[in-house]
Amino acid sequence: GHLGYSADQSASTPGLTNGYLGFGLDAYGNFTNSAYAGSDCSETQPAAPDSVVVRGPGNGTAGYCLLQSQSLGDRTLRSADPQSVPVEVVINPTSRTVTTSSGITVDPGTYAFEVNPIGGDPVTETGSLPNDTYLPAGWGTNGVPDQLTFGWAASTGAQTDYHTISDVNVETL
């Protein structure tokens, strides 16, 4: 349910150590659920299947609060036949606007999370970069980590899905 990122309050399971941002393609709906937020979050969000979700920084059982969640409506993240769902994540900690090679423009101090679901137009979530109070001393500048590590996790809930990651491109703009 917490996709290996956020805390699980019901099992007292800690989240990813020193997590900064968690971007979720929430086909089953649990990553939006407030049960997978840290103990200090004040959200009351129920599970929301087929959503694009962003959770904030956290460490241990604190943090990982819901920053954004958008339902895909009649669009979906899964189908009977494996299909591609292109995703682009852009984090801009600089003081200038950046534009990706695909044309996404990201303002200074913000992020963009764009998903092309099955059966519809792209969905883009944007927001300010969090000022991470969960970072260890000396790990960041102005609340943003000096170095980011990307990772992938998959979960299917009660469904059976195939999760294949391909054509990955990580670059500094």
Side-chain angles (χ1 to χ4, degrees):
H2 50 93
L3 297 178
Y5 180 73
S6 58
D8 179 348
Q9 292 181 34
S10 64
S12 298
T13 304
L16 182 69
T17 302
N18 302 316
Y20 183 63
L21 285 170
F23 299 94
L25 305 178
D26 199 358
Y28 194 67
N30 281 328
F31 198 54
T32 56
N33 193 330
S34 58
Y36 297 108
S39 58
D40 57 342
C41 298
S42 59
E43 61 196 66
T44 57
Q45 178 77 19
D50 284 320
S51 296
V52 176
V53 182
V54 182
R55 284 199 171 276
N59 194 31
T61 57
Y64 314 103
C65 300
L66 185 69
L67 298 180
Q68 294 182 316
S69 175
Q70 185 176 145
S71 172
L72 297 177
D74 60 350
R75 298 163 290 182
T76 186
L77 296 169
R78 61 179 179 254
S79 71
D81 299 316
Q83 292 188 32
S84 180
V85 177
V87 175
E88 190 165 356
V89 175
V90 185
I91 297 172
N92 183 6
T94 72
S95 59
R96 63 181 176 79
T97 299
V98 296
T99 303
T100 67
S101 58
S102 67
I104 297 174
T105 300
V106 184
D107 291 331
T110 65
Y111 64 83
F113 177 36
E114 185 171 286
V115 178
N116 290 289
I118 299 167
D121 295 327
V123 172
T124 304
E125 294 282 353
T126 59
S128 297
L129 292 176
N131 183 354
D132 185 5
T133 57
Y134 300 99
L135 281 178
W139 275 32
T141 305
N142 299 324
V144 177
D146 290 330
Q147 179 177 331
L148 295 175
T149 301
F150 291 88
W152 289 268
S155 177
T156 61
Q159 304 295 317
T160 301
D161 287 339
Y162 293 96
H163 299 104
T164 303
I165 297 171
S166 61
D167 300 324
V168 174
N169 181 23
V170 179
E171 61 183 274
T172 300
L173 300 173

